[in-house]
Amino acid sequence: MLTIGLIGYGAIAHDIVRVFPADAVRWVALLREGARPGLPGHVRAVTRLDALIDARPTAVVEAAGQQAVAACVPALLEAGIPTLIASVGALSDPALAARLSEAARIGGARLVLPSGALGGLDYLRAIAVLPDARVRYTSRKPPAAWAAELAAAGLTVDDRAIVLFEGTPSEAAGRYPKNLNAAFAVAMAAGAEKVTVLVIADPAASGNTHEIEVESAAGTASFHLVNAPSPDNPKTSALTALSIVAALRELVDREGHR
């Protein structure tokens, strides 16, 4: 039986666990002291990072936010444990990105960045070498997904879309650390200096919509994805967990053949 670690047990981790048969994986979840997320019987909770490392999981999935990446992932990589991070926006911090790269080198472990809620990243990686390339990424979600942000800004959405943010991927990752990881995934693929991010609350949006528009010497491209939200968290696309599951299966298979 495989042992797989989790950092956090929110909507994404819950969705990942339920994809796998209960008798196929032994899960170990690192939780904050006092957290009680209602774990299934085959998910064991630990509250110390060294206890997660001592469990020697085949891989660990971070699903607890950007702070958890900084607090936990370097030690896991240095211990030789491959780690997938859902909160790719954490890499908008150059110092942390360098620290993770060095930790992976020291431990000889892979740091995996799943595609998350997006498609088309292979195209963006291809045009990244073109100096004239320009990319516009738009996150368009129903107002319910931005309820806290709208309330904080004193805004009410009636029948019109409201632009909450326009700026760089790093600014977006800092302002919306829990739900704009997709924007930084675009930036990592295409080059952050080429990308503009828009965040829109739109009552006409039928789901969590990701729009990527590209212009370059290689041509033009447009990607439009409408993802159903996670049943447990409207800010997160259900596809995010499925993407992590696909990357996790590939990683586990590769580790099994080493």
Side-chain angles (χ1 to χ4, degrees), residues 20-244:
F20 292 85
D23 60 352
V25 178
R26 181 186 299 108
W27 300 92
V28 183
L30 177 62
L31 306 178
R32 293 189 306 272
E33 192 75 47
R36 295 290 184 270
L39 299 178
H42 61 302
V43 179
R44 177 169 67 94
V46 296
T47 57
R48 301 189 328 274
L49 180 56
D50 58 351
L52 177 59
I53 292 173
D54 288 345
R56 302 312 304 174
T58 301
V60 170
V61 176
E62 172 279 314
Q66 295 182 19
Q67 290 183 336
V69 176
C72 303
V73 176
L76 289 166
L77 294 172
E78 288 182 1
I81 300 172
T83 305
L84 294 82
I85 64 171
S87 307
V88 297
L91 299 183
S92 61
D93 178 352
L96 177 57
R99 184 179 169 208
L100 292 171
S101 179
E102 177 65 7
R105 185 194 66 78
I106 291 171
R110 292 188 66 209
L111 175 64
V112 179
L113 310 178
S115 58
L118 296 176
L121 296 183
D122 52 346
Y123 184 96
L124 296 179
R125 284 190 286 268
I127 59 91
V129 298
L130 300 176
D132 71 326
R134 294 294 177 266
V135 180
R136 179 182 290 265
Y137 165 78
T138 301
S139 173
R140 188 184 301 271
K141 299 181 182 181
W146 301 110
E149 290 80 5
L150 289 165
L155 298 172
T156 301
V157 177
D158 296 318
D159 58 354
R160 62 189 177 89
I162 292 179
V163 177
L164 290 173
F165 172 84
E166 181 173 2
T168 68
S170 293
E171 291 169 341
R175 183 173 296 192
Y176 305 105
K178 295 183 179 180
N179 56 357
L180 269 188
N181 287 301
F184 203 73
V186 170
M188 292 181 65
E193 73 284 357
K194 298 179 175 67
V195 179
T196 299
V197 177
L198 275 82
V199 176
I200 299 176
D202 188 350
S206 57
N208 294 346
T209 304
H210 305 272
E211 302 165 359
I212 304 171
E213 300 167 280
V214 188
E215 293 184 2
S216 74
T220 62
S222 179
F223 304 94
H224 184 89
L225 299 94
V226 181
N227 297 336
S230 164
D232 299 318
N233 182 359
K235 291 179 179 288
T236 300
S237 297
L239 185 62
T240 300
L242 296 175
S243 168
I244 293 172

